[in-house]
Amino acid sequence: MRMIPKKETLTIEFKSDIDCLDEKELVSEIVGMTNTEGGVLYLGVEDNGDITGVHKKHRDPNGAMALIANKTVPSLSVRAEIIEEEGIEVLQIQIPMSKTIIATSDGKIQRRRLKPDGSPENVPMYPYEIPGRLSSLSQLDYSAQILLGATMDDLDGKERDRLRNIIKYRKGDKTLLELTDEELDKALQLVKEEAGVLYPTVTGMLLLGKEERIAELLPTAKAVFQVLEGTKVRKNEQTSKPLLATFEMFEEYMKAWNPEREMEYGLFRVPIPEFSEAAYREGLVNAFCHRDYTVIQAVRVAIEDEGLTISSPGGFIEGVNLKNLLTVEPHGRNPILADALKRIGLAEKTGRGIDRIFEGSIVFGRPLPDYSETTSTYVKLFIQRAEPDLAFTKMISSEENRLGRSLPINSLLILSALQSQRRLTIAEIAEVTNIGEIRAKAVVEKLVEAGLVDASGNNKARFYILSSKVYKEQDNIVGYVRQTGIDAVKYEAWIMELIQKQGGRITRDNVVELLNVTPSQAYRLLKKMSDKGKIKLVGNGRSAYYELI
């Protein structure tokens, strides 16, 4: 009796090995099966069920299992064995249904489905399908799970008092203060009921747990604060305290290592810290909130000569990368923990704490926060030490005072790009800021209207620079003239080219449209060319024009 099925199904796959099946194709097929219902793959069987045998390179079951483990992320463990059917050897690979999403080592994620004719196929698993898949596997949110081994005795009443104080003083959800302790714990999903008994969730232990029990039950929840001056270690403290206590402790540590200077602004003196307190706070919250608590690594805060680094275990979550950090829809690795921190008042309620991190550098004219050293295993935020640009800071402060609110993040990003790059076209602005060209153009034109940015040139030649008042504030009007006048030498060439295309004549209005200059600027340009003997004025009034000499 034949042991190998005669046809493929959702859980049965045949693969020919006559020509030695490519390893990538084999791994891809296995990934598709484990991301669906699992099943059995027979290597050495044709699609029609004919048994043709496994290639000699694939006759080692242990080698096959090692290959699949090494070529999948997370590593997938399968069972493989050589079976004999009709006197022919076939490699049978038993694939479990994964409890998480499995990818090939080169990032390919597949799932399996049945075609209209009932035969199976592998298709890509798209990002929007992943949450549904995880939800069906009860693996959606680690922070919402009951922590194995934890009891209500492991929660610290003093930490709950701290939580209530944070709600009071950080503008959290005041309705939470009206609840009893048990109601508060349930409202924030710090506890869950199972068989009539309340147990702490991972979020509950992270926020309210006793330090010694966190160290025992959640050994991954560690944090380190370091201060390094050259090769000397000025401070190096590791803790397993609950997050609220750790957060407050790290804020206090930062105050001692974050000197301020003052900027005079009218009758006021504005303090400028070495590192933005708001940016540090949001960076810290993000590190604790979005880290992977299944990884045995610590959140690390390090103040060094070069700047401030905040790193947290776990790379960017699905859908987040360096280019879309500021535009991707807010979502996190630990939704329940994130929600609790928002309601308490620690985390940004809109989920846009990343905006605050960038704003903290931009408003002082400093380099943008840097996430470029982030890997698949940790997120690394670096904020460089840098002198503030006082003229730029005054411009931002003045405009925000006029508006009565903070400037939007896209406006700040564009102003920062112009501050560092001096002059940019819309295409260049879009590339530098990762803002789409259409949106970038709309934002830039508003900045021009507000007098923060000056424009010059026309069409694709149109470029933008910071307003002249920034250069004047820096006593650098020469720099402004250099930036705006850098294409002036090209204006005459463009005018001459247009004259030739228009049959040897041009009007002042033509120049206004071509160069996007004012009528008086157009007149001066044409008169200058006339004085040089390149063109001559014909007629007067509205009918006047210039022609080649």
Side-chain angles (χ1 to χ4, degrees):
M1 183 177 176
R2 173 167 164 154
M3 294 184 296
I4 297 174
K6 293 185 178 181
K7 63 179 293 186
E8 293 176 315
T9 67
L10 194 65
T11 58
I12 299 295
E13 174 66 21
F14 299 152
K15 278 297 174 186
S16 173
D17 205 27
I18 293 174
D19 297 322
C20 191
L21 182 68
D22 181 74
E23 292 178 350
K24 285 188 176 181
E25 185 177 349
L26 174 63
V27 173
S28 181
E29 287 292 337
I30 289 171
V31 163
M33 295 183 76
T34 193
N35 282 335
T36 310
E37 293 182 16
V40 182
L41 183 147
Y42 294 92
L43 185 60
V45 181
E46 305 302 307
D47 288 343
N48 63 5
D50 289 345
I51 299 171
T52 52
V54 64
H55 193 279
K56 62 181 180 180
K57 288 187 177 179
H58 294 148
R59 287 178 183 168
D60 177 10
N62 290 328
M65 291 188 289
L67 168 72
I68 294 163
N70 289 330
K71 295 292 184 180
T72 51
V73 180
S75 292
L76 177 63
S77 178
V78 301
R79 292 179 60 188
E81 62 178 320
I82 294 291
I83 62 173
E84 191 170 305
E85 187 79 59
E86 301 173 359
I88 303 173
E89 290 186 335
V90 172
L91 180 65
Q92 176 183 274
I93 303 174
Q94 296 181 23
I95 305 153
M97 183 178 74
S98 174
K99 298 300 182 182
T100 186
I101 301 297
I102 301 292
T104 64
S105 58
D106 57 3
K108 189 176 182 181
I109 303 177
Q110 298 270 285
R111 65 181 178 87
R112 195 165 169 85
R113 72 178 182 187
L114 293 177
K115 294 187 286 188
D117 64 2
S119 62
E121 66 174 349
N122 262 15
V123 294
M125 179 180 284
Y126 295 106
Y128 69 85
E129 297 174 302
I130 293 175
R133 175 64 180 170
L134 292 175
S135 179
S136 70
L137 296 171
S138 300
Q139 296 293 316
L140 188 61
D141 183 1
Y142 178 71
S143 70
Q145 308 300 310
I146 290 175
L147 183 61
L148 186 65
T151 69
M152 295 300 291
D153 290 338
D154 296 326
L155 300 184
D156 191 338
K158 292 180 181 179
E159 291 305 313
R160 193 179 287 105
D161 293 338
R162 187 193 305 274
L163 185 150
R164 289 183 180 275
N165 285 331
I166 289 174
I167 294 173
K168 287 180 186 177
Y169 298 114
R170 292 191 183 266
K171 299 180 180 179
D173 182 354
K174 296 295 193 293
T175 61
L176 294 172
L177 297 176
E178 302 170 5
L179 304 178
T180 65
D181 287 349
E182 183 175 317
E183 290 170 339
L184 176 66
D185 291 351
K186 288 181 177 179
L188 294 176
Q189 299 190 55
L190 309 183
V191 299
K192 278 188 176 179
E193 189 171 326
E194 193 172 89
V197 180
L198 288 177
Y199 295 96
T201 61
V202 171
T203 293
M205 282 298 292
L206 287 171
L207 297 183
L208 304 183
K210 295 175 181 176
E211 183 176 355
E212 65 276 9
R213 292 296 283 163
I214 292 175
E216 182 179 348
L217 300 174
L218 266 175
T220 59
K222 286 181 169 37
V224 178
F225 189 98
Q226 298 176 326
V227 179
L228 309 172
E229 290 183 351
T231 57
K232 294 181 179 179
V233 179
R234 295 299 186 188
K235 191 171 190 65
N236 185 23
E237 182 157 341
Q238 179 172 297
T239 181
S240 293
K241 290 181 183 293
L243 294 190
L244 303 182
T246 299
F247 187 84
E248 291 186 347
M249 181 171 68
F250 280 17
E251 274 198 314
E252 286 301 313
Y253 288 166
M254 185 62 173
K255 289 178 182 178
W257 300 94
N258 192 23
E260 288 186 351
R261 62 182 295 178
E262 288 189 338
M263 176 187 76
E264 291 187 4
Y265 182 71
L267 299 175
F268 304 97
R269 290 182 178 273
V270 179
I272 301 178
E274 188 83 13
F275 304 106
S276 163
E277 293 176 5
Y280 171 69
R281 185 162 53 248
E282 293 297 339
L284 205 55
V285 168
N286 281 353
F288 288 131
C289 185
H290 302 306
R291 65 152 293 179
D292 186 346
Y293 282 97
T294 68
V295 176
I296 302 180
Q297 291 179 3
V299 169
R300 177 175 177 264
V301 178
I303 300 174
E304 302 169 273
D305 295 339
E306 295 81 10
L308 167 68
T309 299
I310 302 176
S311 59
S312 59
F316 288 140
I317 58 175
E318 183 72 26
V320 178
N321 56 54
L322 291 174
K323 288 186 174 294
N324 69 7
L325 266 175
L326 288 159
T327 58
V328 70
E329 285 295 314
H331 60 297
R333 181 175 274 112
N334 305 296
I336 295 304
L337 176 59
D339 182 67
L341 293 177
K342 288 175 189 176
R343 296 186 68 185
I344 291 168
L346 277 182
E348 177 68 34
K349 289 182 172 58
T350 62
R352 299 304 315 173
I354 190 73
D355 294 3
R356 296 283 177 266
I357 294 172
F358 276 76
E359 180 185 41
S361 293
I362 294 173
V363 295
F364 298 122
R366 289 168 170 153
L368 295 181
D370 182 7
Y371 283 88
S372 64
E373 292 186 36
T374 293
T375 70
S376 60
T377 57
Y378 60 84
V379 173
K380 188 172 183 179
L381 163 64
F382 175 67
I383 300 176
Q384 181 182 331
R385 285 187 192 271
E387 286 294 313
D389 184 328
L390 299 183
F392 183 83
T393 300
K394 287 182 180 180
M395 180 189 74
I396 298 293
S397 181
S398 177
E399 180 64 12
E400 291 184 339
N401 286 337
R402 184 184 72 83
L403 295 172
R405 58 175 173 79
S406 299
L407 283 169
I409 188 61
N410 284 344
S411 296
L412 290 172
L413 285 169
I414 290 171
L415 290 171
S416 176
L418 293 175
Q419 180 226 11
S420 61
Q421 303 293 322
R422 301 304 181 192
R423 61 199 298 272
L424 294 168
T425 64
I426 287 294
E428 290 169 337
I429 287 172
E431 182 179 355
V432 170
T433 62
N434 295 312
I435 301 172
E437 282 198 34
I438 294 176
R439 179 172 292 186
K441 183 173 177 58
V443 175
V444 168
E445 293 302 336
K446 285 185 179 180
L447 293 173
V448 171
E449 292 175 11
L452 302 180
V453 169
D454 289 345
S456 188
N458 193 42
N459 298 327
K460 290 185 178 180
R462 187 172 174 84
F463 64 86
Y464 301 86
I465 66 171
L466 288 180
S467 166
S468 60
K469 57 188 174 186
V470 178
Y471 288 88
K472 289 175 182 176
E473 187 71 42
Q474 294 174 323
D475 195 23
N476 186 24
I477 198 64
V478 172
Y480 176 78
V481 172
R482 184 180 296 116
Q483 293 302 324
T484 56
I486 197 164
D487 278 332
V489 293
K490 298 180 181 178
Y491 287 171
E492 291 186 12
W494 292 341
I495 291 171
M496 292 296 286
E497 182 179 352
L498 183 59
I499 291 174
Q500 291 168 355
K501 288 182 177 179
Q502 295 188 156
R505 63 167 60 187
I506 195 170
T507 67
R508 185 176 65 177
D509 288 342
N510 293 151
V511 175
V512 169
E513 183 179 357
L514 172 67
L515 304 178
N516 194 38
V517 294
T518 65
S520 60
Q521 288 173 322
Y523 168 76
R524 287 195 294 272
L525 281 167
L526 290 167
K527 186 176 185 306
K528 185 178 179 181
M529 292 177 68
S530 178
D531 293 342
K532 290 180 179 179
K534 293 184 177 181
I535 57 177
K536 67 177 181 179
L537 177 63
V538 178
N540 54 64
R542 297 182 64 84
S543 61
Y545 62 89
Y546 291 81
E547 66 178 15
L548 291 172
I549 294 178

